[in-house]
Amino acid sequence: MRPYLVGRDQEIDTVAKILARSTKQNVLLLGEAGVGKSTIIQALALRSLNGLTISAIRYKRFLQLDLTSLLSSADQGEVEQRTKDLLTEAERAGNIVLVIPDIAYLVGAGEGVVKNDLSGLFLQALEGNRIQVIALTDHQGFTKYLQPRHSFVQNFETIEVVPATSEESIRVLEKIAPEIESRQKLTLTYEAIKAAVDLSSRYLPSKDLPGKAIDLL
């Protein structure tokens, strides 16, 4: 599904300007699940691919780090070597923006994976401006795992991504609706779209708009 954005141009422009800096050129998008953090990155990556953003980041490659593959089924030494190899490849390429979908796992959060704190390895690359990173996390991950690592976090410019309003969410769903209608061979009425927003707001408190309304629709 293509990235559909309503009211996020300011966040996209801010991320682009930070990535275009010569120092502290990394971004931490802070917000709860469903708020649209990944969609902001997808939209910026598409603009970069088409040469429609700041010249310093045009035609950059936005690559998402698969943390599960990086961290699982390996001992500490192997995980650290994988990380060093990854950082070396990104640095040599010179045109990569590394997207880390839940950076709290990088510093030891989660279950079912080797709980290595790899922030030290990333810190060396970040402080030397050898790589660029867009990281995502929610408020719990930020407070519990990232805030205590001040030297690591200070390499990022934090952007708070607030939930969309009900009106904005309806507009997002209206943009998505034709794609769903074509794929599912059905027709979505305005009443169905509005109900998805209203009911998800009422019954799905663990996620934010517009994500939870898209899921429900």
Side-chain angles (χ1 to χ4, degrees), residues 145-189:
Y145 295 101
L146 298 176
Q147 257 186 342
R149 294 164 174 82
H150 177 70
S151 59
F152 179 67
V153 174
Q154 69 180 1
N155 288 280
F156 293 85
E157 198 73 58
T158 301
I159 298 176
E160 178 92 21
V161 183
V162 300
T165 65
S166 294
E167 291 75 17
E168 288 170 339
S169 298
I170 289 173
R171 286 160 58 198
V172 169
L173 266 61
E174 285 178 326
K175 288 186 175 183
I176 293 173
E179 189 170 326
I180 297 175
E181 289 175 330
S182 175
R183 186 173 64 247
Q184 301 294 340
K185 310 301 181 187
L186 50 75
T187 299
L188 292 170
T189 65

Side-chain angles (χ1 to χ4, degrees), residues 4-12 35 40 47 161-165 167-169 171-172 175 210:
Y4 291 98
L5 285 169
V6 171
R8 295 298 190 194
D9 285 337
Q10 181 176 347
E11 287 92 338
I12 296 171
V35 77
I40 290 171
R47 291 185 186 182
V161 183
V162 300
T165 65
E167 291 75 17
E168 288 170 339
S169 298
R171 286 160 58 198
V172 169
K175 288 186 175 183

Side-chain angles (χ1 to χ4, degrees), residues 18-216:
I18 294 169
L19 293 177
R21 293 175 179 171
S22 58
T23 59
K24 200 174 182 179
Q25 50 187 197
N26 309 290
V27 179
L28 177 63
L29 294 180
L30 177 61
E32 301 307 306
V35 77
K37 302 187 295 294
S38 295
T39 307
I40 290 171
I41 299 172
Q42 291 166 12
L44 178 57
L46 188 60
R47 291 185 186 182
S48 175
L49 177 67
N50 293 320
L52 300 176
T53 186
I54 301 172
S55 59
I57 61 168
R58 285 176 192 162
Y59 312 114
K60 289 265 190 177
R61 298 168 61 201
F62 289 70
L63 301 181
Q64 181 168 302
L65 176 59
D66 185 343
L67 283 171
T68 301
S69 295
L70 178 68
L71 299 174
S72 63
S73 303
D75 59 26
Q76 181 174 349
E78 187 175 351
V79 169
E80 290 182 357
Q81 188 58 52
R82 287 179 183 174
T83 303
K84 291 176 183 178
D85 292 344
L86 180 151
L87 294 173
T88 298
E89 288 186 30
E91 181 182 356
R92 286 177 178 171
N95 66 340
I96 288 175
V97 177
L98 192 60
V99 179
I100 305 179
D102 192 341
I103 198 170
Y105 283 88
L106 196 71
V107 297
E111 298 178 356
V113 295
V114 178
K115 293 188 178 182
N116 291 331
D117 182 354
L118 301 174
S119 59
L121 295 177
F122 273 80
L123 180 60
Q124 298 172 29
L126 292 170
E127 288 183 335
N129 296 315
R130 304 202 309 265
I131 63 169
Q132 280 192 284
V133 171
I134 301 177
L136 287 67
T137 192
D138 57 20
H139 290 86
Q140 181 180 1
F142 180 78
T143 302
K144 185 174 181 179
Y145 295 101
L146 298 176
Q147 257 186 342
R149 294 164 174 82
H150 177 70
S151 59
F152 179 67
V153 174
Q154 69 180 1
N155 288 280
F156 293 85
E157 198 73 58
T158 301
I159 298 176
E160 178 92 21
V161 183
V162 300
T165 65
S166 294
E167 291 75 17
E168 288 170 339
S169 298
I170 289 173
R171 286 160 58 198
V172 169
L173 266 61
E174 285 178 326
K175 288 186 175 183
I176 293 173
E179 189 170 326
I180 297 175
E181 289 175 330
S182 175
R183 186 173 64 247
Q184 301 294 340
K185 310 301 181 187
L186 50 75
T187 299
L188 292 170
T189 65
Y190 175 82
E191 288 75 15
I193 289 172
K194 186 175 185 303
V197 173
D198 293 342
L199 293 172
S200 65
S201 297
R202 188 182 309 171
Y203 295 113
L204 301 176
S206 62
K207 293 185 69 176
D208 277 326
L209 291 171
K212 60 185 179 182
I214 294 172
D215 290 345
L216 184 57

